[in-house]
Amino acid sequence: MSPRKPTPTPQGYYRVEKAVVILGLAEDENDTTGRRWLRDGANRKKNDPRGRPFPHSRLNGQLVFSDADLAEIYAMHRNAPTRRGRPRGSRVIGSSVISPQQEPETPARELQNAA
């Protein structure tokens, strides 16, 4: 069985491997950095809580991105905040809730406030 040759991509359209290089997410086409992010973004549903899907086209079942698509994706994420981890919440000490900015009162302070 002969290996499948990749189908040629029209001028001005790029597959995922080349698109991540153009967006600056990967060093070369052999680098896999950013491919999953680009594919997941293109495969999002319309009402996805993570945001709207990336503009793209499909040729012969392959994801392809035009120059205009890549410019729009870049504009969508140019100054996007990095949301990593959980937001800081409040801590529960004993039966009282203390926000992250407050310090717990020591018993000596409580006695001074009561006097």
Side-chain angles (χ1 to χ4, degrees):
M1 183 171 207
S2 65
R4 278 179 77 169
K5 293 182 182 177
T7 56
T9 308
Q11 194 71 12
Y13 285 87
Y14 309 99
R15 291 196 181 150
V16 174
E17 295 82 13
K18 182 73 173 170
V20 293
V21 174
I22 292 171
L23 286 172
L25 300 173
E27 296 293 322
D28 59 5
E29 291 183 24
N30 295 328
D31 189 1
T32 59
T33 307
R35 288 184 190 178
R36 183 173 178 187
W37 175 79
L38 195 58
R39 280 193 189 105
D40 289 349
N43 291 326
R44 286 182 189 156
K45 303 292 183 199
K46 293 271 186 202
N47 296 327
D48 196 319
R50 295 174 293 171
R52 61 189 181 123
F54 294 167
H56 65 282
S57 302
R58 290 190 186 268
L59 294 175
N60 195 24
Q62 300 282 325
L63 276 175
V64 290
F65 300 91
S66 67
D67 291 323
D69 293 340
L70 294 176
E72 188 174 343
I73 292 169
Y74 183 79
M76 288 167 62
H77 296 280
R78 179 177 39 220
N79 293 323
T82 56
R83 287 186 266 163
R84 294 184 158 236
R86 300 183 316 179
R88 289 187 65 179
S90 58
R91 300 178 304 183
V92 176
I93 296 179
S95 61
S96 61
V97 176
I98 300 172
S99 67
Q101 293 80 20
Q102 296 176 341
E103 292 185 18
E105 290 191 23
T106 60
R109 285 188 185 168
E110 289 176 357
L111 291 176
Q112 289 175 355
N113 292 340

